[in-house]
Amino acid sequence: MLLQDVEWDQALIEKYNSSSPRYTSYPTALEFSPRFSEEDFREAAQRYPTRPLSLYLHIPFCHQLCYFCGCNKVVTRHSEKAERYLQQLINEIRTRATLFSLRPLTQIHFGGGTPTFLSDAQLAEVMRVITEVFTVDNSAEISLELDPRQFPLERLAALRRIGFNRLSMGVQDFDPVVQQRVNREQDEAQIVELITAMKRLGFTSTNIDLIYGLPQQTAESFAHTIDRVLTLRPDRMSVFNYAHMPELFAAQRKIKSDELPSAAQKLRILQQTIMQLQAGGYQFIGMDHFALPEDELARAQRAGSLQRNFQGYTTQSQTDLLGVGVSAISMVGDTYSQNEKTLTGWASRLAEKGSAIVRGLTLSAEDCLRRDIITTLMCQFSIEISQVEARISQPFDDYFAEELRLLAPMQDDGLLRITPERIQVTAKGRLLVRHICLCFDQYSRARAAQQAFSRVI
Ligand SMILES: C[S@@+](CC[C@H](N)C(=O)[O-])C[C@H]1O[C@@H](n2cnc3c(N)ncnc32)[C@H](O)[C@@H]1O
Ligand code: SF4
């Protein structure tokens, strides 16, 4: 499948520029319930006993606080905290592994926080335990998120020896004024050296994270950052929309709201970023993500096999995801579940109950159907009517009459085309695909109806 470049339509983007879920899961985390139990999780682990497994490890520690950060992290200078955490994490890994003994481990990802807060010896120890208790596939993707500050170049070779073959690095913005405002000053020359060395050492699918919408950013300054990143040519790029929620993240209160770009400026930055990256040869994967056409994420999208999970886009299909560590999320069988979000809560639950799960959801058959439709729309930008009908044993138009009614004005606006064969998102609808997915989201509709009802009474 050839994917056209995404098309920017200012009027449409302004019309539909309201918030909607990112659909890293359907139903979204808003539907997770405390009634979900460890027994539910264990049962789910048995549902597809030989399905490949992807393992996510959350390492929450960071050396220094970036004011914009919305991740689950603990800023500390005390490395002994990490040592204690690691022992508890290893206990969790060992306990969980017994439930997944028949499965090949095809993906391991260390996220955070900052996994490189851990020393090479600590990372090697966790990897040793993983290979001891799981069957790690020979071609497994083993990746880690890296903070380029406080990261000596020599560590890269050590990471390679430990088994890592992919890296993702936070850069955010190269502009010194923006960096100063968000308390994240870093040396551009060092980042250049790191990327060069990563390529030399054979790391693949190298990713760089950027954020648009940070204080003191302008269309011109961010264009300069993108130009600099284009010369580095990472395989993948994530360009996140800055989520400013100071009531939720105390550190964001240090960011002066009058220094933030306006909504109109942010749109201009995004438009220009997309144009620059497409002109620079990157494929727009969807929702903040870009990849070089030869990267496997881009190839999977063209082949129709791209998937989406809590970590974003992935090439791993029909894989369960096991999350370990504080706040980690799992997608096992037809369930989602999440560990306790605070470090002390996570540790005490693990010690007392042997499980840190505090909420989750078992999907109904209807949820699974809608999840597959939404994932396909998010990844492939089209759905085949006959494939859906094969699952519902009745005409699509009857089953999804309400959805088609909601989609009709979007079709009139040119976001999508509905034919008897498929629903196809157009080049200008691709940036608004979340709104199209929203039409298939029963929970969001129920919430909207409830809100409207409470406003009326
Ligand atoms: C866990 S961090 C990356 C690894 C490492 N800690 C670092 O900062 O380099 C994941 C990414 O989330 C993004 N991020 C964090 N807070 C954000 C926010 N409030 N809005 C948008 N993106 C955010 C940043 O781009 C960051 O690189
Ligand atoms: S952006 Fe990365 S380094 Fe900065 S506080 Fe967040 S997790 Fe830590």
Side-chain angles (χ1 to χ4, degrees):
M1 179 176 64
L2 252 179
L3 268 179
Q4 242 182 305
D5 276 355
V6 14
E7 207 182 296
W8 186 273
D9 184 316
Q10 186 74 18
L12 275 186
I13 286 171
E14 282 172 12
K15 177 171 176 183
Y16 288 93
N17 191 18
S18 59
S19 67
S20 50
R22 301 166 58 79
Y23 292 116
T24 48
S25 75
Y26 175 81
T28 68
L30 285 175
E31 310 306 329
F32 291 7
S33 151
R35 287 193 301 277
F36 187 89
S37 67
E38 172 66 9
E39 287 65 45
D40 295 330
F41 180 83
R42 288 178 172 259
E43 219 176 282
Q46 301 312 315
R47 186 158 166 81
Y48 308 108
T50 55
R51 218 184 225 188
L53 191 66
S54 174
L55 177 66
Y56 172 79
L57 303 98
H58 193 79
I59 311 294
F61 305 104
C62 297
H63 294 284
Q64 197 183 328
L65 181 66
C66 310
Y67 294 158
F68 58 78
C69 184
C71 304
N72 185 304
K73 79 271 172 201
V74 175
V75 178
T76 180
R77 293 189 183 280
H78 300 284
S79 54
E80 67 278 7
K81 272 198 182 175
E83 189 53 44
R84 204 174 326 128
Y85 181 78
L86 224 55
Q87 292 319 313
Q88 292 156 335
L89 187 71
I90 285 173
N91 287 342
E92 190 181 15
I93 295 170
R94 286 189 186 281
T95 317
R96 285 298 181 226
T98 58
L99 297 174
F100 299 95
S101 57
L102 297 177
R103 302 182 186 227
L105 200 59
T106 52
Q107 191 179 44
I108 306 171
H109 181 71
F110 287 66
T114 303
T116 45
F117 185 96
L118 301 180
S119 66
D120 295 338
Q122 288 172 320
L123 287 168
E125 173 61 5
V126 186
M127 283 300 290
R128 190 191 63 72
V129 173
I130 292 172
T131 43
E132 179 196 318
V133 297
F134 287 104
T135 311
V136 181
D137 196 81
N138 281 339
S139 55
E141 299 170 8
I142 309 182
S143 57
L144 163 136
E145 288 169 21
L146 175 157
D147 178 354
R149 300 164 301 165
Q150 297 126 333
F151 186 84
L153 201 58
E154 311 77 74
R155 282 197 70 185
L156 278 184
L159 292 182
R160 198 82 182 91
R161 279 195 300 277
I162 294 167
F164 291 97
N165 48 32
R166 298 179 172 212
L167 294 172
S168 174
M169 175 160 68
V171 169
Q172 327 307 351
D173 193 314
F174 275 134
D175 190 283
V177 177
V178 177
Q179 290 185 4
Q180 186 270 331
R181 291 300 199 275
V182 297
N183 196 37
R184 187 180 171 115
E185 288 168 80
Q186 56 198 13
D187 179 20
E188 185 174 331
Q190 195 223 354
I191 290 171
V192 176
E193 274 183 7
L194 274 171
I195 286 276
T196 314
M198 283 175 196
K199 290 185 179 169
R200 194 181 58 242
L201 288 165
F203 287 99
T204 57
S205 297
T206 301
N207 178 74
I208 281 186
D209 287 340
L210 301 172
I211 305 183
Y212 74 95
L214 291 177
Q216 294 287 3
Q217 249 174 11
T218 62
E220 293 68 38
S221 75
F222 202 65
H224 183 68
T225 289
I226 295 286
D227 277 340
R228 305 294 306 129
V229 178
L230 277 173
T231 63
L232 301 177
R233 242 175 149 63
D235 303 296
R236 299 179 184 182
M237 243 185 268
S238 310
V239 188
F240 295 116
N241 179 357
Y242 171 47
H244 188 59
M245 292 180 283
E247 56 303 332
L248 213 62
F249 305 108
Q252 293 187 350
R253 292 174 210 149
K254 293 186 190 270
I255 291 179
K256 295 193 182 100
S257 46
D258 61 355
E259 290 194 345
L260 291 173
S262 66
Q265 282 171 316
K266 274 180 86 171
L267 276 186
R268 213 162 35 249
I269 297 177
L270 177 63
Q271 175 184 18
Q272 173 194 275
T273 300
I274 292 171
M275 299 310 143
Q276 258 178 298
L277 291 182
Q278 288 188 158
Y282 281 80
Q283 182 172 317
F284 175 73
I285 303 294
M287 280 297 309
D288 326 317
H289 294 279
F290 298 82
L292 286 174
E294 57 275 20
D295 182 82
E296 63 175 35
L297 214 53
R299 280 193 276 130
Q301 186 170 52
R302 293 195 300 272
S305 58
L306 192 68
Q307 293 293 315
R308 190 160 169 80
N309 67 17
F310 284 104
Q311 287 151 38
Y313 290 99
T314 170
T315 56
Q316 306 258 326
S317 59
Q318 293 293 310
T319 309
D320 277 352
L321 169 69
L322 169 65
V324 291
V326 59
S327 75
I329 299 185
S330 299
M331 291 171 78
V332 171
D334 295 324
T335 69
Y336 301 138
S337 54
Q338 182 167 32
N339 277 351
E340 161 70 42
K341 285 184 184 172
T342 66
L343 204 50
T344 47
W346 168 82
S348 60
R349 277 187 166 261
L350 262 187
E352 287 156 24
K353 303 179 196 280
S355 161
I357 292 177
V358 285
R359 61 182 76 81
L361 181 74
T362 299
L363 278 72
S364 64
E366 183 68 29
D367 291 337
C368 292
L369 171 72
R370 286 171 187 269
R371 171 184 62 182
D372 294 348
I373 290 176
I374 288 176
T375 307
T376 309
L377 278 171
M378 293 292 295
C379 296
Q380 260 66 252
F381 298 108
S382 83
I383 46 173
E384 296 298 311
I385 304 282
S386 58
Q387 284 176 10
V388 179
E389 281 180 337
R391 289 176 66 174
I392 54 181
S393 327
Q394 56 171 295
F396 187 94
D397 294 9
D398 294 346
Y399 196 94
F400 290 112
E402 172 65 3
E403 287 71 13
L404 289 169
R405 193 186 60 75
L406 293 167
L407 289 170
M410 296 188 183
Q411 170 157 250
D412 294 344
D413 281 339
L415 267 63
L416 53 106
R417 266 188 308 274
I418 306 173
T419 63
E421 291 76 36
R422 65 186 60 84
I423 297 180
Q424 177 73 51
V425 182
T426 60
K428 57 184 177 185
R430 287 175 61 195
L431 283 169
L432 300 163
V433 67
R434 291 196 278 174
H435 295 268
I436 297 171
C437 294
L438 205 54
C439 300
F440 290 93
D441 180 341
Q442 285 184 313
Y443 295 90
S444 169
R445 280 208 318 254
R447 275 175 202 281
Q450 189 150 22
Q451 274 164 12
F453 181 68
S454 13
R455 270 201 303 274
V456 172
I457 53 170

